Structure formats: structure tokens, C-alpha cells
Amino acid sequence: TTVLESLQRITTEFVRQVSKKNGLSDAVADSAGGKIFTYGSYRLGVHGPGSDIDTLVVVPKHVSRDDFFDLFPSLLTEMAPSGAIEELTPVPDAFVPIIKFEYSGISIDLIFAGLAVSQVPITLSLKDKSLLRGVEGRALRSLNGVRDTDEILELVPQPKVFKYALRAIKLWARRRAIYANVYGFPGGVAWAMLVARVCQLYPQATSAVILSKFFVIMCRWSWPTPVLLKAIEDGPLQVRIWNPKIYHGDKYHLMPVITPAYPSMCSTHNVSVSTKKIICREMDRAAKIVDKILAKQLQWKDLFSKHTFFTNGYKYYLSVIAASRSKEAQLIWAGLVESKVRLLVTAIEQLESIELAHPFIKGFDRIHHCQTEEEVEKITNGDLQFQRTNGVITESTNLVNDQKPNGVAQGDPETTETQNGNGEQQTKTGAQHVIYTTTYYIGIEIVQDGTKQLDLSYETKEFKDICTGWERYNADLNSLSVSLTRNYDLPPDVFEPGESRPIRIKVKRGKKKRNFEATEAQLIVGLERTEREAAKAFEYGPISLRLSGKMGISTPHHAAYSSSVSPTFIFVRPPYDSLSPGDQIS
């Protein structure tokens, strides 16, 4: 409550300063107002320790989104208690532009909406549809976050039962790593609407009954039949309402969960082919476990067992590594890259050799100390030997971290101490460089139906072009690489205490042949070097891999990739001194 009261004071001062800047009188500026609303889990009453508080800044018409991103962050740090604001990360280019930060240890997600009114009093309610007149699309989406939350609570027959059931479903979704709208999974509002629909179907049920029925109903749901809490409303405004019969794009929503407030929208538009498969698998798993719980063969704790994404999930992972030379720059750059990861997932899942691409919903931020530019390049390629570990715990956050893959980052940072385009000082102590990395993991499942060639070079290059095409990208400060990691090469800090890293299959000696024979598909990722340059880097020269079953993919320290337009080779340095040219990798 104290944090929200402080944010309200900052919002009022923000609107007043912008009003003065626009030439309005003191009296008008002082009465312009501005109000903070909460939505999501906090407003629903199902937030817990460590949960974000979703907040919305509503302002009058003369305050713009540019004003919000230009002025509000500095006001936060000025008006909040000293040291209270940490991890301040504006993400203006997201689908819903947002400022993320921590206020006295409480995570805040702050979004913006301007109304076509001259004043926003502290008593304002957003239930009135007429307030939506003249509101642009992004602001409309932001306003509906609050309006939808209020309607959900009004539409469930027993709010208390709904809240208890929703707490359990949210815990389950987080434990199973399928709770993150930005990566293509349902977010908090979508899960709330799914639970609310089951509550409507069983209006007299207890929370335990709702929980048991939830998985049975949802795993059998006939997608893409939409989940609706009430009939979609028409209204007087010329705004888009979800309707697949009219709007071509709405036809391609795979798991539509439609918001109740006017104008109705699809809260799960980010769900992809891959994430839908993963969600359905998890629903089916949960339904079977619930059946066994009711038969007294299992306990409720078995339903909430942790995911096995790293321990027993996939053999191969793509690692998207964002790196920067200052902490402040990394927060912004990693936030931008995180918002684009689902585009890479959508691109590679369309390849016929890919069964699915599974993005992980959390990540790992690391700090590295090194001495030379050569060491900087190694770090941006995924090398962890320079990671600072003494007294520093690698944290799992929504801005993911780096690991130990192979690939080459884009961008060639300078060694001199300079300021970036945002006026930030690049971090460097004496001759030592401090590099901040963030890695996003995507598990890759390969189709098991015969020999295929799999080339991800186009998809990864296109993804990098999208990210580095950002207007605030600075090649001297930021870098990005996409690389491949085998499960047995995952870094130790992705595993929690008690978890074990997958074991590497031993090398088997074969006939002295130039080519390696494996068993799945040729996988080419993050191509940054020519074949000749890659060959010079290795003692044994280039070795062609033709893969058609279990992929003989090299490990982070033992591979580089061709950058030709249509590459057909992966260059492999044997991982052990005992491995000779011609030996087979299984």
C-alpha cells in the first residue's frame, strides 16, 4: 500500500510537470490529476510473495507516451526514497509498452494509457465505456487490463472459491513453466479466465472440485473454440472486437481466451503451435494425475512437481545470448530481446523437421570480468570461464541469462571507455572489462520420421536483424548471438539443488572415415564464419556431418559454423585429445 501511495504521488507530479511543459497554467496543471490503477493478480487478490504488482498510469489527453518514457523513470528515482528503485527497465517497443522496476524489493510492471479528457481525478472509475472514445489501440489494451479484472470478479459465482482455485492453478502453471505471455504461454489474466469459466460451469462447487474439474475440461476443450465468460458485446465505438468471421488474423488464434470487457480481445494471441502442444501435454498430464489422486494412488503434491525442462526435457537447446557493457544498458537490451524471442520460436517451429520449439519462461543473468577484447568475444559467444561467482548467485529472472553455447555475437565493442548513445558510462575498471549477459533457452524437439536437413541459419539471422534493427541498438555496447547447446553442456546454475545434469554419451570409435554418420538432421545455427576461417581454427580441419537420427552435434567449445548463404557443413573439433578424425560421435 505504501508503494502504491508513493506511485500515486509520483504520477500526480508527473502529470503536473508535463502540463507545465505544455504551457498550461498552474491551476490547470495542478488539477490535471492522473491516477494509478492495479490489475492482474494483485487486483484479483491472488498475488503472493515475490509476485509482480501490475499497475496502470492513466493520464489526461495532453500527456503522451513519449512523455511517460522520457520523464517518469527519472521522477521515480528522484521522488522515491534513496536506493528504493532498482532494476529500472523501460521497454517502449514492446507490444504493450512497459516500465519494469523494483520498488523497495517489490517488482512493479507499469504501463500507460491516456484518456481523451482534460482531467483524471483520483475518483475516476474505468467502468464507463464512454471513456474509451478517442483512445488509441495500445492505450485501449492497457485500460482493458483493469476493466477485465473487475469483470472477472463480477462474473464468477463464488469469488472466494475462484480465488483459492486460481491460486492453485497459478502455482501449477509456474511449477510446470507454462506461465508467461511474453513467451507464448497464457499470462495471469488468461489463466484467471480459464479458471473463472470452470467456476461458471460448477457454480456450487468447492475450490478442490474446481481444481479437479479444471484439467479434465481444459484438456478436452475443442480448440480453437473460444473460452468466453459472457457473450461478446457490441458497442458504439469504432474499435476492433475479436471476431474471426470478420478479421482474418483472428482465425489463426490457436487457443483463444476472450476478455469479457468491451471491446473483447484475445488474451492468448501469442500462443504458437509449439506452446499450444506444450500446454495441451501439461493439461493431459495433470488430468491423469488428478484421476490418480481421486483414486488415492497419488497425492496433491504430485500435481505440483517441478518441470524437467533442463533435467529431462530436451537433448538440444538454442541459446539466445544478449550481452552489454553496462548494467543499465543490459536491462534495456535484454528486455528488448526477451520481447522478441517468441518470433524466433514461431519461425523455427514452421520447419518440417521441428516437432516443437519450447521457450523457457525464466532466465539467468550473469556478470563476467575479463582483461582483453578476445576474452570479451569469448564471453559474448557463451564462454563462462570469466563469470564472476564469488559471493554472486546467478539469478533466474524474466530477463534471462547466458550459458555455455557456441556462436558469435554481433557487434564489436570498443575497448576505450566511452559513453553510449544514451549517455550511460560503459562499465570498466582499470584494464578490466565487465560484461553483462542474459540468455534465453529454447528446447528443440526433432521430428523422428527419417532423414532431413535442418538449417536454422535463415531464421536466426532474421531474428538477429529484427533485434539489432532496434533504433536504440548500439553495436559498440550491445551484442547478440544464437547458438546450440547439448543438454550435458548446460551450465550448472540452471539446475536447482538436488537436480542432476544429463549425462554425456560416451564417444565410440569407428572406422577411419572422413565423414561422421549420425542419425537425425543436419543442424546449422548462428553462422558467423566462412568455411575457410572455421577450418583454420581447428587442428583437424573441417569434417562434414550428415545427421539422420541422434544428432552428433558438437559442444560449445568444439564447434564453429559456416556463414555461407546456403551452408552445408558443421565444423567439429574433437572434444577430447583421444578423438581422432573419423571417430564417430553418438
Side-chain angles (χ1 to χ4, degrees), residues 499-519:
E499 294 181 339
S500 300
R501 178 191 294 175
I503 300 174
R504 187 184 192 280
I505 300 175
K506 294 182 179 180
V507 175
K508 299 178 181 179
R509 288 190 175 275
K511 295 181 180 180
K512 300 288 184 178
K513 294 193 297 183
R514 190 65 172 171
N515 292 336
F516 284 96
E517 294 292 339
T519 53

PDB file of all heavy atoms in Angstrom, residues 499-519:
ATOM      1  N   GLU A 499      19.024 -31.447  -8.316  1.00  0.00           N
ATOM      2  CA  GLU A 499      18.845 -31.805  -9.715  1.00  0.00           C
ATOM      3  C   GLU A 499      20.181 -32.205 -10.325  1.00  0.00           C
ATOM      4  O   GLU A 499      21.235 -31.705  -9.931  1.00  0.00           O
ATOM      5  CB  GLU A 499      18.242 -30.642 -10.505  1.00  0.00           C
ATOM      6  CG  GLU A 499      16.824 -30.295 -10.091  1.00  0.00           C
ATOM      7  CD  GLU A 499      16.242 -29.166 -10.907  1.00  0.00           C
ATOM      8  OE1 GLU A 499      17.017 -28.398 -11.511  1.00  0.00           O
ATOM      9  OE2 GLU A 499      15.008 -29.052 -10.949  1.00  0.00           O
ATOM     10  N   SER A 500      20.131 -33.084 -11.310  1.00  0.00           N
ATOM     11  CA  SER A 500      21.341 -33.584 -11.955  1.00  0.00           C
ATOM     12  C   SER A 500      21.374 -33.183 -13.413  1.00  0.00           C
ATOM     13  O   SER A 500      20.341 -33.203 -14.098  1.00  0.00           O
ATOM     14  CB  SER A 500      21.417 -35.115 -11.847  1.00  0.00           C
ATOM     15  OG  SER A 500      21.437 -35.520 -10.498  1.00  0.00           O
ATOM     16  N   ARG A 501      22.546 -32.837 -13.882  1.00  0.00           N
ATOM     17  CA  ARG A 501      22.739 -32.534 -15.298  1.00  0.00           C
ATOM     18  C   ARG A 501      22.689 -33.838 -16.098  1.00  0.00           C
ATOM     19  O   ARG A 501      23.202 -34.866 -15.657  1.00  0.00           O
ATOM     20  CB  ARG A 501      24.080 -31.848 -15.501  1.00  0.00           C
ATOM     21  CG  ARG A 501      24.392 -31.535 -16.951  1.00  0.00           C
ATOM     22  CD  ARG A 501      25.824 -31.094 -17.129  1.00  0.00           C
ATOM     23  NE  ARG A 501      26.087 -29.833 -16.475  1.00  0.00           N
ATOM     24  CZ  ARG A 501      27.289 -29.277 -16.412  1.00  0.00           C
ATOM     25  NH1 ARG A 501      28.326 -29.877 -16.954  1.00  0.00           N
ATOM     26  NH2 ARG A 501      27.456 -28.122 -15.801  1.00  0.00           N
ATOM     27  N   PRO A 502      22.065 -33.829 -17.280  1.00  0.00           N
ATOM     28  CA  PRO A 502      22.077 -35.026 -18.128  1.00  0.00           C
ATOM     29  C   PRO A 502      23.504 -35.492 -18.412  1.00  0.00           C
ATOM     30  O   PRO A 502      24.433 -34.692 -18.487  1.00  0.00           O
ATOM     31  CB  PRO A 502      21.374 -34.553 -19.409  1.00  0.00           C
ATOM     32  CG  PRO A 502      20.483 -33.446 -18.940  1.00  0.00           C
ATOM     33  CD  PRO A 502      21.250 -32.752 -17.854  1.00  0.00           C
ATOM     34  N   ILE A 503      23.662 -36.787 -18.565  1.00  0.00           N
ATOM     35  CA  ILE A 503      24.978 -37.387 -18.748  1.00  0.00           C
ATOM     36  C   ILE A 503      25.322 -37.457 -20.228  1.00  0.00           C
ATOM     37  O   ILE A 503      24.483 -37.790 -21.065  1.00  0.00           O
ATOM     38  CB  ILE A 503      25.014 -38.797 -18.140  1.00  0.00           C
ATOM     39  CG1 ILE A 503      24.713 -38.722 -16.635  1.00  0.00           C
ATOM     40  CG2 ILE A 503      26.365 -39.470 -18.380  1.00  0.00           C
ATOM     41  CD1 ILE A 503      24.572 -40.073 -15.973  1.00  0.00           C
ATOM     42  N   ARG A 504      26.579 -37.166 -20.516  1.00  0.00           N
ATOM     43  CA  ARG A 504      27.054 -37.214 -21.894  1.00  0.00           C
ATOM     44  C   ARG A 504      27.249 -38.653 -22.339  1.00  0.00           C
ATOM     45  O   ARG A 504      27.795 -39.481 -21.614  1.00  0.00           O
ATOM     46  CB  ARG A 504      28.383 -36.469 -22.013  1.00  0.00           C
ATOM     47  CG  ARG A 504      28.883 -36.323 -23.437  1.00  0.00           C
ATOM     48  CD  ARG A 504      30.254 -35.660 -23.441  1.00  0.00           C
ATOM     49  NE  ARG A 504      30.652 -35.242 -24.758  1.00  0.00           N
ATOM     50  CZ  ARG A 504      31.154 -36.045 -25.690  1.00  0.00           C
ATOM     51  NH1 ARG A 504      31.296 -37.328 -25.420  1.00  0.00           N
ATOM     52  NH2 ARG A 504      31.482 -35.579 -26.863  1.00  0.00           N
ATOM     53  N   ILE A 505      26.801 -38.958 -23.548  1.00  0.00           N
ATOM     54  CA  ILE A 505      27.008 -40.284 -24.120  1.00  0.00           C
ATOM     55  C   ILE A 505      28.472 -40.426 -24.508  1.00  0.00           C
ATOM     56  O   ILE A 505      29.065 -39.529 -25.102  1.00  0.00           O
ATOM     57  CB  ILE A 505      26.105 -40.497 -25.356  1.00  0.00           C
ATOM     58  CG1 ILE A 505      24.645 -40.369 -24.939  1.00  0.00           C
ATOM     59  CG2 ILE A 505      26.374 -41.854 -25.984  1.00  0.00           C
ATOM     60  CD1 ILE A 505      23.679 -40.449 -26.104  1.00  0.00           C
ATOM     61  N   LYS A 506      29.055 -41.550 -24.179  1.00  0.00           N
ATOM     62  CA  LYS A 506      30.474 -41.752 -24.436  1.00  0.00           C
ATOM     63  C   LYS A 506      30.771 -41.825 -25.927  1.00  0.00           C
ATOM     64  O   LYS A 506      29.952 -42.252 -26.723  1.00  0.00           O
ATOM     65  CB  LYS A 506      30.953 -43.026 -23.753  1.00  0.00           C
ATOM     66  CG  LYS A 506      30.909 -42.962 -22.228  1.00  0.00           C
ATOM     67  CD  LYS A 506      31.453 -44.238 -21.624  1.00  0.00           C
ATOM     68  CE  LYS A 506      31.440 -44.161 -20.104  1.00  0.00           C
ATOM     69  NZ  LYS A 506      31.966 -45.414 -19.496  1.00  0.00           N
ATOM     70  N   VAL A 507      32.003 -41.418 -26.287  1.00  0.00           N
ATOM     71  CA  VAL A 507      32.458 -41.465 -27.665  1.00  0.00           C
ATOM     72  C   VAL A 507      32.795 -42.892 -28.049  1.00  0.00           C
ATOM     73  O   VAL A 507      33.443 -43.616 -27.303  1.00  0.00           O
ATOM     74  CB  VAL A 507      33.695 -40.568 -27.852  1.00  0.00           C
ATOM     75  CG1 VAL A 507      34.243 -40.699 -29.254  1.00  0.00           C
ATOM     76  CG2 VAL A 507      33.331 -39.129 -27.539  1.00  0.00           C
ATOM     77  N   LYS A 508      32.320 -43.314 -29.207  1.00  0.00           N
ATOM     78  CA  LYS A 508      32.632 -44.644 -29.720  1.00  0.00           C
ATOM     79  C   LYS A 508      33.550 -44.534 -30.925  1.00  0.00           C
ATOM     80  O   LYS A 508      33.325 -43.721 -31.809  1.00  0.00           O
ATOM     81  CB  LYS A 508      31.344 -45.357 -30.126  1.00  0.00           C
ATOM     82  CG  LYS A 508      30.367 -45.560 -28.973  1.00  0.00           C
ATOM     83  CD  LYS A 508      29.104 -46.236 -29.462  1.00  0.00           C
ATOM     84  CE  LYS A 508      28.109 -46.416 -28.319  1.00  0.00           C
ATOM     85  NZ  LYS A 508      26.855 -47.053 -28.786  1.00  0.00           N
ATOM     86  N   ARG A 509      34.551 -45.374 -30.947  1.00  0.00           N
ATOM     87  CA  ARG A 509      35.471 -45.363 -32.077  1.00  0.00           C
ATOM     88  C   ARG A 509      34.852 -46.110 -33.252  1.00  0.00           C
ATOM     89  O   ARG A 509      34.240 -47.154 -33.097  1.00  0.00           O
ATOM     90  CB  ARG A 509      36.799 -46.008 -31.711  1.00  0.00           C
ATOM     91  CG  ARG A 509      37.639 -45.149 -30.788  1.00  0.00           C
ATOM     92  CD  ARG A 509      39.031 -45.723 -30.644  1.00  0.00           C
ATOM     93  NE  ARG A 509      39.868 -44.839 -29.863  1.00  0.00           N
ATOM     94  CZ  ARG A 509      40.533 -43.821 -30.371  1.00  0.00           C
ATOM     95  NH1 ARG A 509      40.442 -43.566 -31.665  1.00  0.00           N
ATOM     96  NH2 ARG A 509      41.280 -43.048 -29.612  1.00  0.00           N
ATOM     97  N   GLY A 510      35.061 -45.572 -34.446  1.00  0.00           N
ATOM     98  CA  GLY A 510      34.559 -46.204 -35.657  1.00  0.00           C
ATOM     99  C   GLY A 510      35.664 -46.326 -36.678  1.00  0.00           C
ATOM    100  O   GLY A 510      36.841 -46.147 -36.392  1.00  0.00           O
ATOM    101  N   LYS A 511      35.287 -46.631 -37.898  1.00  0.00           N
ATOM    102  CA  LYS A 511      36.264 -46.755 -38.958  1.00  0.00           C
ATOM    103  C   LYS A 511      36.837 -45.396 -39.308  1.00  0.00           C
ATOM    104  O   LYS A 511      36.209 -44.370 -39.135  1.00  0.00           O
ATOM    105  CB  LYS A 511      35.611 -47.376 -40.202  1.00  0.00           C
ATOM    106  CG  LYS A 511      35.142 -48.803 -39.981  1.00  0.00           C
ATOM    107  CD  LYS A 511      34.528 -49.367 -41.255  1.00  0.00           C
ATOM    108  CE  LYS A 511      34.070 -50.799 -41.024  1.00  0.00           C
ATOM    109  NZ  LYS A 511      33.465 -51.359 -42.256  1.00  0.00           N
ATOM    110  N   LYS A 512      38.069 -45.407 -39.821  1.00  0.00           N
ATOM    111  CA  LYS A 512      38.755 -44.167 -40.172  1.00  0.00           C
ATOM    112  C   LYS A 512      38.156 -43.591 -41.445  1.00  0.00           C
ATOM    113  O   LYS A 512      38.651 -43.807 -42.545  1.00  0.00           O
ATOM    114  CB  LYS A 512      40.244 -44.428 -40.364  1.00  0.00           C
ATOM    115  CG  LYS A 512      40.928 -44.992 -39.125  1.00  0.00           C
ATOM    116  CD  LYS A 512      41.061 -43.936 -38.052  1.00  0.00           C
ATOM    117  CE  LYS A 512      41.812 -44.447 -36.850  1.00  0.00           C
ATOM    118  NZ  LYS A 512      41.992 -43.419 -35.828  1.00  0.00           N
ATOM    119  N   LYS A 513      37.053 -42.891 -41.297  1.00  0.00           N
ATOM    120  CA  LYS A 513      36.417 -42.264 -42.443  1.00  0.00           C
ATOM    121  C   LYS A 513      36.385 -40.760 -42.228  1.00  0.00           C
ATOM    122  O   LYS A 513      36.384 -40.277 -41.112  1.00  0.00           O
ATOM    123  CB  LYS A 513      34.986 -42.793 -42.627  1.00  0.00           C
ATOM    124  CG  LYS A 513      34.937 -44.269 -43.004  1.00  0.00           C
ATOM    125  CD  LYS A 513      33.560 -44.659 -43.487  1.00  0.00           C
ATOM    126  CE  LYS A 513      32.519 -44.490 -42.413  1.00  0.00           C
ATOM    127  NZ  LYS A 513      31.202 -44.929 -42.852  1.00  0.00           N
ATOM    128  N   ARG A 514      36.288 -40.046 -43.316  1.00  0.00           N
ATOM    129  CA  ARG A 514      36.298 -38.587 -43.244  1.00  0.00           C
ATOM    130  C   ARG A 514      34.970 -38.056 -42.726  1.00  0.00           C
ATOM    131  O   ARG A 514      34.910 -37.037 -42.068  1.00  0.00           O
ATOM    132  CB  ARG A 514      36.590 -38.013 -44.630  1.00  0.00           C
ATOM    133  CG  ARG A 514      36.863 -36.526 -44.640  1.00  0.00           C
ATOM    134  CD  ARG A 514      38.114 -36.184 -43.883  1.00  0.00           C
ATOM    135  NE  ARG A 514      38.472 -34.797 -44.051  1.00  0.00           N
ATOM    136  CZ  ARG A 514      39.406 -34.191 -43.368  1.00  0.00           C
ATOM    137  NH1 ARG A 514      40.095 -34.865 -42.463  1.00  0.00           N
ATOM    138  NH2 ARG A 514      39.691 -32.927 -43.565  1.00  0.00           N
ATOM    139  N   ASN A 515      33.895 -38.761 -43.069  1.00  0.00           N
ATOM    140  CA  ASN A 515      32.576 -38.281 -42.675  1.00  0.00           C
ATOM    141  C   ASN A 515      32.099 -38.974 -41.415  1.00  0.00           C
ATOM    142  O   ASN A 515      32.393 -40.141 -41.187  1.00  0.00           O
ATOM    143  CB  ASN A 515      31.540 -38.515 -43.780  1.00  0.00           C
ATOM    144  CG  ASN A 515      31.814 -37.662 -44.985  1.00  0.00           C
ATOM    145  OD1 ASN A 515      32.456 -36.627 -44.873  1.00  0.00           O
ATOM    146  ND2 ASN A 515      31.341 -38.100 -46.143  1.00  0.00           N
ATOM    147  N   PHE A 516      31.357 -38.237 -40.595  1.00  0.00           N
ATOM    148  CA  PHE A 516      30.695 -38.827 -39.445  1.00  0.00           C
ATOM    149  C   PHE A 516      29.281 -39.208 -39.876  1.00  0.00           C
ATOM    150  O   PHE A 516      28.594 -38.446 -40.526  1.00  0.00           O
ATOM    151  CB  PHE A 516      30.581 -37.805 -38.298  1.00  0.00           C
ATOM    152  CG  PHE A 516      31.861 -37.590 -37.571  1.00  0.00           C
ATOM    153  CD1 PHE A 516      32.681 -36.525 -37.913  1.00  0.00           C
ATOM    154  CD2 PHE A 516      32.247 -38.449 -36.557  1.00  0.00           C
ATOM    155  CE1 PHE A 516      33.852 -36.312 -37.233  1.00  0.00           C
ATOM    156  CE2 PHE A 516      33.419 -38.223 -35.886  1.00  0.00           C
ATOM    157  CZ  PHE A 516      34.235 -37.161 -36.219  1.00  0.00           C
ATOM    158  N   GLU A 517      28.839 -40.394 -39.453  1.00  0.00           N
ATOM    159  CA  GLU A 517      27.469 -40.799 -39.693  1.00  0.00           C
ATOM    160  C   GLU A 517      26.725 -40.730 -38.364  1.00  0.00           C
ATOM    161  O   GLU A 517      27.136 -41.329 -37.395  1.00  0.00           O
ATOM    162  CB  GLU A 517      27.412 -42.232 -40.237  1.00  0.00           C
ATOM    163  CG  GLU A 517      28.030 -42.385 -41.619  1.00  0.00           C
ATOM    164  CD  GLU A 517      27.211 -41.683 -42.678  1.00  0.00           C
ATOM    165  OE1 GLU A 517      26.016 -41.439 -42.446  1.00  0.00           O
ATOM    166  OE2 GLU A 517      27.784 -41.364 -43.734  1.00  0.00           O
ATOM    167  N   ALA A 518      25.626 -39.978 -38.337  1.00  0.00           N
ATOM    168  CA  ALA A 518      24.802 -39.932 -37.144  1.00  0.00           C
ATOM    169  C   ALA A 518      23.394 -40.279 -37.560  1.00  0.00           C
ATOM    170  O   ALA A 518      23.211 -40.973 -38.529  1.00  0.00           O
ATOM    171  CB  ALA A 518      24.904 -38.569 -36.481  1.00  0.00           C
ATOM    172  N   THR A 519      22.385 -39.788 -36.846  1.00  0.00           N
ATOM    173  CA  THR A 519      21.043 -40.289 -37.137  1.00  0.00           C
ATOM    174  C   THR A 519      19.901 -39.292 -37.082  1.00  0.00           C
ATOM    175  O   THR A 519      18.814 -39.670 -36.706  1.00  0.00           O
ATOM    176  CB  THR A 519      20.691 -41.402 -36.144  1.00  0.00           C
ATOM    177  OG1 THR A 519      20.894 -40.913 -34.846  1.00  0.00           O
ATOM    178  CG2 THR A 519      21.450 -42.660 -36.378  1.00  0.00           C
TER     179      THR A 519
END
